[in-house]
Amino acid sequence: MKLHIVIVEPDETRAKLVIDSLQPLGHQVTVIAEASGLARRVCDIAPDIVLIDMSNPSRDTLEEMALASGPMERPVAFFVDRTDRDLTLQAIEAGVSAYVVDGLQPERVATVMDAAIARFQMFRRMRVELETTRRALEERKLIDRAKGILMKARGISEEDAYALLRKTAMDQGRKVAEVASALVTAAGLLS
Amino acid sequence: MNLTPLRVGFVPLLDMAPIVIAQEMGFAQAEGLKLDLRRAPSWSSLRDMLLWGQVEAAHMLAPLPVAMALGLGGAVARLDILQVMSINGDVIGVSQDLAQRLRNVGHEFGFSDARRARDDLGKAATGPLRIGVPFPFSTHVELVTYWLRDAAIAFELCTIPPPRMADALAAGEVDAFCVGEPWGSVAVELGAGTLLLPSRAIWAVAPEKVLAARHDWVSENPAQTGRLMRAVWRAAKWLCVPGNRLIASEILARPEFVNAPVEVLDRALRGEMVISPQGEFRHVPDMIRFFDGATSFPWRSQAAWFAVQLAARHGLHPGRSIEAAKAICRTDLYRQNLRAAGADLPGASEKLEGSLHHATAVASERGQMILAPDAFFDGQIFDSSRKPR
């Protein structure tokens, strides 16, 4: 029997990656991208499992469903209640949380979670890499501007300007980018 | 000095101030701690971070550890309430459409009379009200439910993360909300809503956020627990000095903390609320409180009040629920860790809730304890030592 899985994920590319990992297991996957009306839409779809990024603030809305127990509502449990500790820890570290309909066999949940955890770990790595690259690029730009300011103000070469920044940073026990940032801010104030 | 790192989780709200101030104003450092403040995107995430050891302590909705002690909502470990971080600080707001209907039935938005507001809401509502709250286990839910329980108003609670509350109101997802500041004032700023009541109009000393930690971590790390409690307590004391409010707002406004305008954060701290997009102004004494009136003491009777409300809604045994709630209030650690720091300690660890209509001196070690008025809007008195029927 195939499971109906809902993914709550505003980013289309990321949602597609999760779909690609779950569909080969023979499951039906639906994506909800919008935060508004989330509880109602999940209830209408009546999935077996809901997957959501832990960093998504809409998680609390799903939490409410997990507590609902009206006659027409399917009981839902938060994943940590019913599965083994290792898998739960892995899920939390990967940043994925899952809401599972009561009575679903733990082994079936585990296969879905294994696939989802792998994908979310990949996202996490990608996110960290992207952030590192972005920061490096920003620092590069700052240092270039600081060098420009020094070259103009002191009439020195680019190489000397960089050497001066680096020496100041070393003397003060700070990063070159921090010194550059301070200089750019100060120059902005003085001009 | 070698500082011990300690991870503390929070959700972006004004009432996280004591932990931010503990770190930023050096109270943590004075205790040999370096707080690594971790912003959580939602209450469920923060709860999981705490339960699964990704943070050692957290800024937490007061009823959440109580609900877990009662076995509600996926309790996988016991959480202890070390101290209360804030009292009051929530607002109830309504959509511009509902505000207009309230004005049409003669409501004047006095922003203080909960009974009047409730009666007028009953006249103005044209159908079931959808009310946004931040989490199923929250002071917000307990206060709204208590406030509307005897009223002929049909309502449905919808969980919406605090920073999204203004948008949800503007988009018509909800007709009203109960949310912690600054998110109610943000809704006013955006022209999405008008504020109807401060939460203190329902219960004048409702505990809002607590400092919570895992019971097993607290048992294994008594020294660090004490250092954290003292740092947060001294920060709360600092926050109660009026001259420090603006600095507090400026620190909290930073993107890594609450990420909201300084001017909006400052309103609740000063108790000077702008309640409507037209700029109507209301002064609210005790809009939010961090320290005076024995705020930080984890009164067992306050947790018991939450337990009774939760037990009634979830069909649990009231007596056993009260006992479970009282057991997680670490009044023992509070006495032990804060006595030397200079905290005045009450003679008893529980009190009648709702009996004080004026500031009242009570028995305490230093004889300086004055409790603030703690009345419920309907005049009820809650005695947590009386056996519930």
Side-chain angles (χ1 to χ4, degrees), chain B residues 205-250:
Chain B
V205 296
E208 175 54 41
K209 298 294 169 355
V210 295
L211 180 64
R214 260 190 351 270
H215 179 67
D216 55 1
W217 183 84
V218 170
S219 309
E220 287 157 22
N221 300 278
Q224 279 191 49
T225 303
R227 286 148 80 185
L228 176 65
M229 288 174 72
R230 282 188 294 273
V232 173
W233 183 82
R234 289 201 177 99
K237 191 174 178 186
W238 182 91
L239 275 163
C240 112
V241 178
N244 292 337
R245 286 177 192 149
L246 195 59
I247 309 172
S249 300
E250 279 174 358

Side-chain angles (χ1 to χ4, degrees), chain B residues 309-326:
Chain B
Q309 317 300 314
L310 285 166
R313 274 211 310 288
H314 294 271
L316 304 174
H317 187 275
R320 280 199 292 274
S321 300
I322 286 180
E323 287 317 308
K326 285 181 180 176

Side-chain angles (χ1 to χ4, degrees), chain A:
Chain A
M1 189 192 79
K2 67 178 183 181
L3 298 172
H4 193 163
I5 302 169
V6 161
I7 303 166
V8 183
E9 175 55 64
D11 182 334
E12 207 177 311
T13 323
R14 291 185 49 180
K16 192 169 177 314
L17 281 169
V18 183
I19 295 177
D20 289 348
S21 73
L22 293 176
Q23 265 172 352
L25 299 173
H27 302 307
Q28 187 190 343
V29 186
T30 309
V31 176
I32 300 180
E34 294 275 325
S36 74
L38 178 62
R40 194 168 312 125
R41 295 181 65 189
V42 172
C43 281
D44 288 347
I45 297 168
D48 302 294
I49 299 180
V50 183
L51 295 174
I52 184 168
D53 188 326
M54 265 183 83
S55 67
N56 189 329
S58 294
R59 221 194 111 183
D60 282 348
T61 306
L62 295 178
E63 196 79 11
E64 174 190 280
M65 288 177 12
L67 299 162
S69 51
M72 298 301 289
E73 291 154 4
R74 302 212 294 169
V76 177
F78 177 51
F79 172 65
V80 293
D81 286 350
R82 47 184 26 262
T83 34
D84 63 282
R85 207 184 153 79
D86 281 351
L87 197 56
T88 304
L89 263 178
Q90 279 177 36
I92 286 174
E93 267 156 27
V96 56
S97 31
Y99 293 84
V100 178
V101 160
D102 239 357
L104 204 59
Q105 288 167 339
E107 315 84 73
R108 308 202 59 206
V109 180
T111 48
V112 171
M113 286 313 293
D114 281 338
I117 287 168
R119 282 297 149 132
F120 273 80
Q121 270 164 349
M122 201 173 89
F123 292 150
R124 179 149 284 203
R125 276 199 303 275
M126 279 162 55
R127 208 182 301 179
V128 172
E129 276 167 26
L130 200 68
E131 181 58 23
T132 318
T133 317
R134 195 186 56 79
R135 194 169 302 150
L137 202 67
E138 264 172 23
E139 288 183 356
R140 194 72 256 157
K141 275 193 219 155
L142 260 180
I143 293 169
D144 282 345
R145 284 176 62 194
K147 277 194 301 194
I149 293 165
L150 285 177
M151 286 159 68
K152 205 170 143 199
R154 301 181 55 149
I156 52 177
S157 71
E158 184 176 350
E159 216 166 296
D160 289 344
Y162 186 69
L164 184 58
L165 280 175
R166 207 176 50 184
K167 183 175 180 311
T168 312
M170 275 169 65
D171 288 349
Q172 300 186 0
R174 293 157 78 192
K175 284 164 63 180
V176 177
E178 285 173 23
V179 174
S181 166
L183 180 62
V184 170
T185 309
L189 288 173
L190 291 171
S191 65

Side-chain angles (χ1 to χ4, degrees), chain B residues 4-334:
Chain B
T4 311
L6 204 62
R7 298 168 299 179
V8 184
F10 70 89
V11 167
L13 282 157
L14 173 65
D15 53 29
M16 64 171 293
I19 55 169
V20 173
I21 294 303
Q23 174 56 30
E24 297 294 314
M25 298 307 292
F27 298 108
Q29 194 179 345
E31 288 287 342
L33 294 177
K34 177 168 174 26
L35 303 187
D36 174 5
L37 302 180
R38 305 268 175 108
R39 180 181 163 127
S42 65
W43 287 109
S44 36
S45 290
L46 184 53
R47 175 203 58 198
D48 293 344
M49 283 158 72
L50 188 57
L51 288 177
W52 296 89
Q54 294 191 317
V55 292
E56 277 78 45
H59 158 241
M60 190 58 78
L61 295 157
L64 186 53
V66 175
M68 292 183 54
L70 269 52
L72 295 168
V76 296
R78 174 179 147 178
L79 295 182
D80 280 350
I81 296 177
L82 300 176
Q83 66 206 70
V84 174
M85 270 174 61
S86 66
I87 272 184
N88 307 336
D90 299 334
V91 289
I92 292 170
V94 296
S95 68
Q96 289 307 75
D97 179 43
L98 185 50
Q100 190 51 54
R101 277 184 279 144
L102 275 160
R103 290 187 203 272
N104 291 347
V105 300
H107 190 72
E108 285 157 351
F109 286 88
F111 206 55
S112 62
D113 185 343
R115 202 182 285 266
R116 172 83 195 274
R118 182 189 67 178
D119 294 347
D120 288 345
L121 202 55
K123 290 181 209 155
T126 50
L129 289 178
R130 290 158 306 160
I131 305 176
V133 289
F135 200 67
F137 302 118
S138 58
T139 310
H140 317 69
V141 167
E142 299 312 327
L143 292 180
V144 169
T145 313
Y146 183 78
W147 177 48
L148 297 179
R149 65 178 180 170
D150 296 326
I153 301 173
F155 67 96
E156 178 196 350
L157 298 176
C158 313
T159 302
I160 292 169
R164 262 205 78 235
M165 207 59 97
D167 287 342
L169 194 67
E173 276 178 63
V174 290
D175 308 298
F177 62 60
C178 180
V179 74
E181 280 288 90
W183 303 112
S185 290
V186 166
V188 172
E189 279 308 284
L190 294 174
T194 295
L195 304 183
L196 181 63
L197 282 179
S199 57
R200 66 161 313 232
I202 298 170
W203 182 13
V205 296
E208 175 54 41
K209 298 294 169 355
V210 295
L211 180 64
R214 260 190 351 270
H215 179 67
D216 55 1
W217 183 84
V218 170
S219 309
E220 287 157 22
N221 300 278
Q224 279 191 49
T225 303
R227 286 148 80 185
L228 176 65
M229 288 174 72
R230 282 188 294 273
V232 173
W233 183 82
R234 289 201 177 99
K237 191 174 178 186
W238 182 91
L239 275 163
C240 112
V241 178
N244 292 337
R245 286 177 192 149
L246 195 59
I247 309 172
S249 300
E250 279 174 358
I251 294 173
L252 284 162
R254 290 187 205 154
E256 67 268 35
F257 299 136
V258 183
N259 195 21
V262 175
E263 187 272 323
V264 175
L265 280 156
D266 198 41
R267 288 180 198 170
L269 280 182
R270 284 183 298 139
E272 290 170 7
M273 304 295 289
V274 176
I275 62 153
S276 69
Q278 296 88 326
E280 288 164 276
F281 169 88
R282 300 286 182 271
H283 179 70
V284 186
D286 268 347
M287 178 62 213
I288 186 165
R289 220 167 63 202
F290 296 105
F291 186 75
D292 42 348
T295 291
S296 40
F297 190 76
W299 294 100
R300 291 152 54 98
S301 41
Q302 292 179 338
W305 187 81
F306 287 131
V308 168
Q309 317 300 314
L310 285 166
R313 274 211 310 288
H314 294 271
L316 304 174
H317 187 275
R320 280 199 292 274
S321 300
I322 286 180
E323 287 317 308
K326 285 181 180 176
I328 63 166
C329 297
R330 300 304 301 271
T331 54
D332 54 335
L333 293 181
Y334 188 94

